[in-house]
Amino acid sequence: MMKILLGSSEVHPYSKTGGLADMVGALARTLARAGHRVGVVTPLYQGIPGRFPELKPLDLPLDFPLGARRVRGGVLGLEVERGLTIYFIDQPGFYQRPDLYQSHGTDYPDNAERFIFLSKAIAHLALHLSWKPELLHVNDWQTGFAPLFIHHQKRLPGWGNVPHSCLTIHNLAYQGLFPAGQYAAANLPWEYFTPDGVEFYGQMNCLKTGIRYAGVLATVSPRYAREITTPEFGCGLDGLLRHRRRSLFGILNGVDYDEWNTSNGPYIKHHYSSGNLRGKAANKLELQREMGLPEDDAIPLFGSIGRLVEQKGVDVMLGALEEMLGTRLQFVLLGTGTPVFQRAYQQLARRFPSKVSVQIGFDEALSHRVEAGCDFVLMPSRFEPCGLNQLYSLRFGAIPIVRATGGLDDTVIDVRENPDKANGIKFAEYSAPALAKAIRKALVLYQAPQLLHQFRQNAMAADFSWKHTATEYLKIYRHGMEGEKSLTESC
Ligand code: ADP
Ligand code: GLC
């Protein structure tokens, strides 16, 4: 039995803007069900107490210096199931806001303080919880300072025995970069603020801090683990990542198949399975009706769900749709993100009302119905650390059309790779014509019902269950705890 504390700025089902929330929520549950003692530290955002009234205040007062002032907070606990406690950090000034990170497309101006406070709370609980966590696993830039707080504590008298730490990089493109002056909020010696530590070209870099001071590093697919050590994908941190290569592991995320389930999932009207796909056809008609498109099973229905940001290839998707909307197809989009992309897709829907329907917003139930109703799902990402949507699409029998990058390349099989096991369509070049060509292949596949059926069977049979992922994490936790090398040696 291992005692593991996770830290994350979002955790499903309490808060979510993307796959990070799904990953942390599912990893915590899987580890607890395997008999480990697990805690998760995350902010108490607006709306959580109303949805989870069983939350209980814990006797864990928080009172930290944050630069020149002191900030107080509390901790609320939720016993989710045996061995799993969620620790919500209650600091209304920081977290009681309508959105997690930004308002109207602009980051909150105090994000450095908000997430340094969170990192302090995570490190504090890692050091003081009565069940004494032995491994702290943090995620992304928002919690990147926690390994440094632990590292610093270890140097203080009487604190030799601190938890080991692991950082998962879910997305290297978001680093939490702030002006150097914000480092004051950490209340740490300036000796850490060097190019070998927290500093990145004169600025404070929260993700780099985590990469530098965490004992072991993971990212969310094997291909992305290789990619981020190259200048092309390294976002300026490839040198440090190459340096830490021996402590960096690519572990593919899993899928919570209790949640993403076609045979008894709560959000879809007509349940179905690979042995009986009639429900899928019925869901398609429901989705067409819901999205205001002509109901017709014979028209191939494409969909896309996600953050409308450059990473996701939304510009390339717009170009490809422009090229393809002359043909007989429909397209539905569920997404939220950069206002300029939101407007562009809304405009497309206005120009092609019988072919394109766009829903701007975050809607978990609709995301399941889109996967259940679509024939094909587009993910033309510029880069993709893992990607969960394509894994959900596979299970829902919606054939993913993906660019061969990161986790998309690791999880989808193209007919050119393996004709018997093909479950999706891949393209390599990041361009609208390349995606349009892939859409044309999908249209050909749609006209070949037997082959389409075979693709669907392969897709629905693919297994990305969490058990495997959690086992891999346990291996690297152990690796970290055996502490192959001291940090001073490795960096
Ligand atoms: P990322 O984490 O980069 O956004 P992933 O594919 O890993 O990409 O995960 C995205 C997750 O967020 C999926 O669970 C997806 O269903 C969900 N999601 C994204 N946008 C929306 C939306 N507008 N409404 C509902 N769910 C969404
Ligand atoms: C990030 C990545 C995505 C990944 C998710 C969960 O948001 O963009 O590819 O699936 O984290 O790890």
Side-chain angles (χ1 to χ4, degrees), residues 16 18-19 22 306-307 312 334-335 361-363 367 387-389 392:
K16 170 167 168 179
D22 291 0
R307 295 179 294 116
K312 300 291 174 184
L334 167 63
F362 196 93
D363 184 336
S367 74
L388 292 174
N389 270 323
Y392 303 151

Side-chain angles (χ1 to χ4, degrees), residues 18-20 23 140 170-171 220 253 307 311-312 384-388:
L20 166 66
M23 186 276 190
D140 275 353
H170 294 260
N171 196 332
V220 288
N253 288 331
R307 295 179 294 116
Q311 172 195 345
K312 300 291 174 184
E384 194 62 71
C386 176
L388 292 174

Side-chain angles (χ1 to χ4, degrees), residues 145-164:
F145 260 79
L148 173 56
F149 290 131
I150 298 278
H151 170 78
H152 182 67
Q153 191 77 20
K154 192 174 178 178
R155 294 171 51 190
L156 303 179
W159 276 101
N161 196 13
V162 298
H164 297 270

Side-chain angles (χ1 to χ4, degrees), residues 40-61:
V40 185
V41 189
T42 194
L44 185 75
Y45 294 114
Q46 188 169 303
I48 295 177
R51 286 189 291 127
F52 298 91
E54 59 280 30
L55 278 176
K56 285 203 179 60
L58 301 179
D59 186 20
L60 288 162

